[in-house]
Amino acid sequence: MIKLIIHGGFFSESGTDSATKKAKQDALKRILEDGYSFLKNNSAFETVIHTVSLLEDDPLFNAGIGSQIQSDGKIRMSAAVMDGQTEKMSGVINIQKVKNPIKVAKVLIDFDDRVLGGPAATDFARKNGFEEFSTETEQRRKEYEEKLKSLGTGTVGCVAIDSEGRLAAATSTGGKGFEIPGRISDSATVAGNYANSNCAVSCTGVGEDIVSGAVAAKIVTRVTDGMPIGKAFEKTFDELKPYDGFAGAIAIDKSGNFYHQDSHPKMVFGSYDGSDFQIFD
Ligand code: GLY
């Protein structure tokens, strides 16, 4: 049994028109197919990185190419990967001008330091062969210039189970858009991306709410302690309600059960197990 599930943030980004929605759904299907084919011959850990890098390469999504622009006109991105087998996580926060932040996070996992932030993360990328690359798109510049502050709560992510039952999670984001430079996203924290041998979770939504709710870490801990995955989601999302937390999450457990939930509608995500595509909004 091999399976994967991916998310591409919320439809609220870059409009909710039907053409954008269809384009995102088509992109998810294409990326799921590619990710599934990769998973046949690779581990869950390698697969979540590969699949998130494809999402980063698609300008429709707010990660890598197509990342949103911050209040000072610059793009800063964050990404993390966690191997459920080894329980090692690595991430980069507020990295600039690299095509695939998730690939920088992957290189970092072999170092003793787990998460790098700001210019040091960018320096680390350059020292490790990542060339300068502008991830700005015309669409994001237009949104920035028009100061169209949409909900801006999207991110991309992937969770997978491989043929040996190993789980992994990866998440990448361009942030929430128009933020104060230096703001920390949830995506490279255990609140936004977490996995062990029982469950793997990737989140999207407002980073501040996801961190307040420790969403990914709570769901994984609850499943590990024996709570069914559906109940773990329900309890964790109930705990967001007092402050109207805006979050969405996808997960897979060690039995290959998929799960997803969002606090507000319209998270775009899809799953594939080799026979059955499910694309949702
Ligand atoms: N969830 C992405 C962010 O708030 O940065």
Side-chain angles (χ1 to χ4, degrees), residues 154-155 173 175-176 183 185-187 204-208 210:
T155 291
T173 189
K176 63 180 181 180
R183 177 252 183 193
S185 163
D186 63 292
S187 299
T204 180
V206 174
E208 287 68 15
I210 294 167

Side-chain angles (χ1 to χ4, degrees), residues 148-159:
L148 285 177
K149 187 171 181 180
S150 67
L151 284 171
T153 48
T155 291
V156 301
C158 177
V159 295

Side-chain angles (χ1 to χ4, degrees), residues 27-168:
L28 283 191
K29 187 158 186 245
R30 174 180 51 76
I31 291 169
L32 272 172
E33 253 169 339
D34 188 314
Y36 184 82
S37 150
F38 189 89
L39 183 57
K40 285 182 185 163
N41 300 308
N42 293 280
S43 67
F45 176 72
E46 293 288 344
T47 301
V48 294
I49 293 160
H50 171 75
T51 308
V52 165
S53 77
L54 298 177
L55 289 158
E56 287 176 336
D57 289 344
D58 193 318
L60 283 171
F61 302 108
N62 175 25
I65 299 169
S67 288
Q68 298 196 96
I69 300 174
Q70 300 193 338
S71 58
D72 64 348
K74 294 184 178 153
I75 292 175
R76 296 176 184 83
M77 302 164 287
S78 300
V81 61
M82 185 154 180
D83 184 347
Q85 187 78 0
T86 58
E87 295 190 26
K88 271 173 92 175
M89 169 166 173
S90 59
V92 288
I93 293 177
N94 289 333
I95 195 165
Q96 289 180 273
K97 295 199 171 171
V98 293
K99 184 164 176 264
N100 294 110
I102 197 67
K103 292 187 180 172
V104 184
K106 181 192 177 192
V107 170
L108 187 59
I109 208 158
D110 293 326
F111 288 73
D112 290 337
D113 305 301
R114 293 270 69 87
V115 182
L116 294 181
T122 309
D123 287 351
F124 174 85
R126 299 283 176 263
K127 279 184 191 132
N128 284 280
F130 291 85
E131 285 169 12
E132 192 166 320
F133 185 95
S134 171
T135 54
E136 184 177 309
T137 61
E138 263 178 49
Q139 171 69 20
R140 295 298 186 206
R141 178 55 59 179
K142 201 168 133 221
E143 286 168 8
Y144 174 76
E145 279 167 4
E146 291 169 4
K147 299 204 187 306
L148 285 177
K149 187 171 181 180
S150 67
L151 284 171
T153 48
T155 291
V156 301
C158 177
V159 295
I161 184 166
D162 64 26
S163 57
E164 294 181 31
R166 296 172 297 199
L167 302 172

Side-chain angles (χ1 to χ4, degrees), residues 219 229-237 249-251 259-261:
I219 292 170
I229 192 165
K231 280 260 171 261
F233 262 82
E234 197 182 308
K235 190 164 169 51
T236 305
F237 275 78
I250 55 170
Y259 212 81
H260 64 87
Q261 190 164 333

